[in-house]
Amino acid sequence: MFTGIVEERGTITAKDELAEAARLTVRGPTVTSDAAFGDSIAVNGVCLTVTELTDDGGFTVDVMAETLRRSSLADLGVGATVNLERAMRADGRFGGHIVQGHVDGVGTIAAISPTPNWTVIRIVLPPALSRYVVEKGSITVDGVSLTVSGVGHDDGGSWFEISLIPTTLEHTNLGQAQVGNPVNLEADVIAKYVERLTAAGGKDND
């Protein structure tokens, strides 16, 4: 489990295309400082397993076809900046919200509106995710735990907005975001459980 509090921005240093999979090598000195084989590290919000550690503070992960299909990792190349977070320690502070590292879909940045003290980013949602996104609720964007500051719908589809403070822009890759960029989205897991229980009418669903 993760919290959506990004620990550092890493860089993809190698990408090997495999049969219905990919192997990524990511440099991240902070997240690899105590990492071991088999540990979980979120890369742009995707929970991945460390398969190898490199001498320069990097780690290698294998990304299967399902993950490539459901996330934006397939679009990333060597040199791309990614948000990194180690799995949450049981005795650590819970600074964000419950993040599983299981991406629900890919959104598209539709607008970026800077102001003197923050930046508002509008993201178009996949239709199936819009019901989970509510104003003042939590959502994970490329692994960053954020509060939804607005929701709406127009000719471009359903969208939500997030308001980013300078610290978030500086310490995550959202500070480099551009209109048209894809971003990984994970809806609040509580909303999904509530929907499931409501649909089942509170009864066992075999």
Side-chain angles (χ1 to χ4, degrees), residues 4-10 30-31 44 81-85 141-146 164-176:
I5 304 300
V6 172
E7 296 186 87
E8 70 175 322
R9 290 181 299 181
T30 298
V31 298
N44 273 5
T81 300
V82 290
N83 296 323
L84 302 176
E85 182 191 355
V141 179
D142 267 359
V144 185
S145 172
L146 296 164
L164 307 181
I165 61 174
T167 298
T168 303
L169 295 170
E170 180 182 356
H171 292 285
T172 75
N173 66 5
L174 295 180
Q176 304 169 355

Side-chain angles (χ1 to χ4, degrees), residues 29-195:
T30 298
V31 298
T32 57
S33 62
D34 62 352
F37 175 83
D39 283 356
S40 295
I41 295 177
V43 179
N44 273 5
V46 182
C47 178
L48 298 172
T49 301
V50 174
T51 59
E52 185 179 349
L53 293 166
T54 64
D55 294 334
D56 63 347
F59 63 98
T60 299
V61 292
D62 290 328
V63 189
M64 60 183 177
E66 172 72 3
T67 303
L68 293 171
R69 183 180 67 82
R70 296 181 69 96
S71 75
S72 66
L73 294 185
D75 299 322
L76 299 181
V78 173
T81 300
V82 290
N83 296 323
L84 302 176
E85 182 191 355
R86 288 169 287 190
M88 180 184 176
R89 290 169 52 105
D91 61 350
R93 290 185 181 275
F94 202 150
H97 73 281
I98 298 173
V99 177
Q100 296 180 296
H102 303 160
V103 171
D104 292 306
V106 177
T108 303
I109 295 178
I112 301 175
S113 304
T115 74
N117 298 309
W118 65 84
T119 294
V120 177
I121 296 181
R122 178 173 292 189
I123 299 172
V124 176
L125 283 157
L129 292 186
S130 61
R131 64 183 181 272
Y132 300 124
V133 181
V134 297
E135 189 170 350
K136 306 304 180 185
S138 296
I139 192 165
T140 309
V141 179
D142 267 359
V144 185
S145 172
L146 296 164
T147 299
V148 176
S149 57
V151 296
H153 186 91
D154 55 27
D155 292 340
S158 295
W159 52 262
F160 70 95
E161 291 180 337
I162 47 177
S163 299
L164 307 181
I165 61 174
T167 298
T168 303
L169 295 170
E170 180 182 356
H171 292 285
T172 75
N173 66 5
L174 295 180
Q176 304 169 355
Q178 297 180 8
V179 172
N181 284 172
V183 288
N184 294 323
L185 303 176
E186 182 184 332
D188 189 344
V189 67
I190 296 175
K192 291 180 280 187
Y193 276 122
V194 169
E195 179 186 59

